[in-house]
């Protein structure tokens, strides 16, 4: 049975794994970036990949890479991530040459949607939206069983829809982007601005700590996640009205706090959608959990290997 090298690139960390064609994670390693530059990304991913392949003795059929930001799968480029200085990085060619295997890439949100179709909540859904909420916010649109890429491969950029008029400046050039107010750093900033306590070192509490505090009864933390659901819902409702999906799947690290923001998300969407057109919309967190990125990367590799080309869908 084929196996695939899965490389999930995040904004602060990365995971490299060996995943079977059936979706079993056979081995994995993860670490934080020493620096978020093209040179450092390549160096660390190669170090981790070579160590993993040596320890397992595996010969993967292909590798898949999730890109946080804009990707060009046809040319194998990491085009841009607004939170970093990486631009037009030919990551697939660099990894393929070094590892002697075909390497395919895709935007992380779109990769996660592929994973939902292959391994997750949407194996029976032909029309769905995927929102990826982590250090940034991305996403994907699947219509009629096909991934919608858009004219330049950038469809599904939910994070750069304006959620707060006149809000925080975003590196993309806009103000009030959903990413600036509802991604992990935005959650931390919201909590601090609402009067939340710092962490044990006196710095700002991060989203995971805020979630812990919310579950322990911290009212400001609970209010922070209620706002999170409201902000996400404002953007998601518009997308639902435009695209009429069967499901909305929430992924990324922040999805692990779905129990905290899911109720306000559902209320916000319910109060802003055309209900007669969307009577059975299902809103749920990804069942793939923290490993959704790995499954996304494995799905990229599997589809590339199966089709022997760069166009995944």
């Amino acid at each position: 049975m084929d196996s695939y090298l899965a490389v999930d690139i995040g904004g602060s960390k990365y995971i490299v794994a060996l995943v079977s064609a059936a979706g079993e994670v056979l081995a994995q390693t993860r670490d934080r970036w020493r620096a978020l530059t093209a040179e450092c990304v390549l160096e660390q991913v190669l170090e981790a990949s070579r160590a993993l392949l040596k320890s397992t003795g595996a010969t993967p059929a292909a590798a898949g890479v999730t890109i946080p930001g804009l990707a060009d799968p046809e040319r194998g480029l990491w085009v841009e991530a607004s939170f970093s200085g990486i631009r037009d990085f030919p990551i697939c060619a660099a990894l393929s040459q070094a590892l002697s295997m075909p390497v395919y890439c895709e935007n992380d949100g779109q990769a996660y949607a592929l994973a939902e179709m292959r391994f997750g909540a949407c194996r029976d859904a032909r029309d769905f939206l995927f929102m990826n909420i982590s250090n940034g916010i991305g996403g994907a649109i699947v219509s009629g069983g096909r991934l919608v890429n858009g004219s330049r491969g950038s469809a599904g950029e939910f994070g750069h829809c304006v959620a707060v008029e006149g809000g925080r400046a975003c590196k993309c050039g806009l103000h009030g982007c959903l990413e600036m107010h509802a991604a992990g750093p935005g959650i931390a900033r919201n909590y601090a601005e609402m009067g939340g306590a710092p962490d044990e070192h006196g710095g700002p509490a991060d989203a995971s700590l805020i979630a812990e505090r919310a579950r322990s009864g911290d009212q400001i933390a609970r209010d922070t996640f209620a706002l999170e659901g409201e902000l996400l819902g404002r953007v998601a409702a518009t997308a639902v009205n435009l695209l009429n999906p069967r499901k909305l799947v929430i992924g990324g690290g922040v999805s692990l706090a779905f129990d905290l923001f899911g109720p306000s998300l559902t209320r916000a969407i319910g109060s802003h959608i055309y209900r007669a057109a969307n009577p059975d919309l299902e809103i749920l967190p990804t069942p793939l959990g923290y490993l959704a990125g790995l499954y996304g990367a494995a799905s990229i590799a599997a589809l590339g290997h199966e089709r022997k080309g760069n166009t995944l869908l």
Side-chain angles (χ1 to χ4, degrees):
M1 180 181 292
D2 287 330
S3 64
Y4 303 103
L5 184 67
V7 181
D8 180 28
I9 294 177
S12 60
K13 59 187 177 302
Y14 65 95
I15 309 176
V16 176
L18 188 67
V19 181
S20 75
E24 181 184 0
V25 179
L26 305 173
Q28 65 172 295
T29 182
R30 68 184 67 198
D31 205 346
R32 301 186 70 83
W33 299 117
R34 294 190 286 266
L36 196 54
T37 64
E39 295 76 14
C40 191
V41 166
L42 180 61
E43 179 183 4
Q44 288 189 251
V45 168
L46 284 175
E47 286 175 2
S49 298
R50 286 167 173 156
L52 190 70
L53 296 177
K54 182 177 180 179
S55 67
T56 60
T59 305
V65 184
T66 63
I67 301 297
L70 303 182
D72 184 338
E74 292 189 4
R75 294 189 293 161
L77 290 180
W78 182 344
V79 176
E80 178 187 78
S82 61
F83 57 84
S84 79
I86 295 176
R87 301 286 188 278
D88 295 322
F89 173 32
I91 189 168
C92 289
L95 290 174
S96 181
Q97 181 177 6
L99 297 173
S100 300
M101 70 177 72
V103 179
Y104 305 94
C105 73
E106 183 55 276
N107 161 268
D108 53 6
Q110 297 191 353
Y112 298 167
L114 297 176
E116 295 299 334
M117 286 190 282
R118 185 170 283 253
F119 302 116
C122 296
R123 283 175 281 189
D124 62 342
R126 293 177 55 78
D127 297 271
F128 69 93
L129 304 177
F130 185 90
M131 293 183 73
N132 183 55
I133 311 164
S134 184
N135 281 337
I137 295 179
I141 302 162
V142 173
S143 179
R146 297 182 66 84
L147 191 63
V148 176
N149 291 311
S151 63
R152 297 179 64 86
S154 302
E157 285 293 327
F158 296 107
H160 295 287
C161 295
V162 174
V164 178
E165 198 65 37
R168 297 166 188 160
C170 180
K171 291 182 179 179
C172 78
L174 296 173
H175 285 77
C177 286
L178 181 66
E179 181 167 296
M180 296 305 298
H181 291 269
I187 294 171
R189 187 168 171 180
N190 294 341
Y191 179 68
E193 289 178 355
M194 293 166 71
D199 66 15
E200 63 273 22
H201 304 295
D206 63 19
S208 61
L209 177 58
I210 297 166
E212 289 179 19
R213 290 179 176 177
R215 294 187 182 104
S216 297
D218 181 328
Q219 190 57 50
I220 295 177
R222 296 180 70 84
D223 291 344
T224 299
F225 277 103
L227 174 62
E228 174 75 2
E230 171 65 28
L231 292 170
L232 295 173
R234 292 176 192 174
V235 171
T238 299
V240 168
N241 283 335
L242 287 171
L243 298 165
N244 191 218
R246 176 65 184 82
K247 295 184 179 184
L248 168 64
V249 182
I250 308 296
V254 174
S255 71
L256 301 178
F258 188 84
D259 59 310
L260 299 171
F261 68 82
S264 61
L265 169 64
T266 300
R267 285 194 299 273
I269 291 175
S271 64
H272 290 92
I273 61 170
Y274 182 19
R275 287 180 176 271
N278 300 279
D280 56 355
L281 175 69
E282 186 178 354
I283 305 167
L284 70 160
T286 175
L288 301 177
Y290 196 78
L291 296 181
L294 289 187
Y295 288 114
S299 297
I300 296 168
L303 283 166
H305 175 62
E306 290 163 4
R307 302 183 182 199
K308 307 296 184 184
N310 293 324
T311 302
L312 298 179
L313 281 177

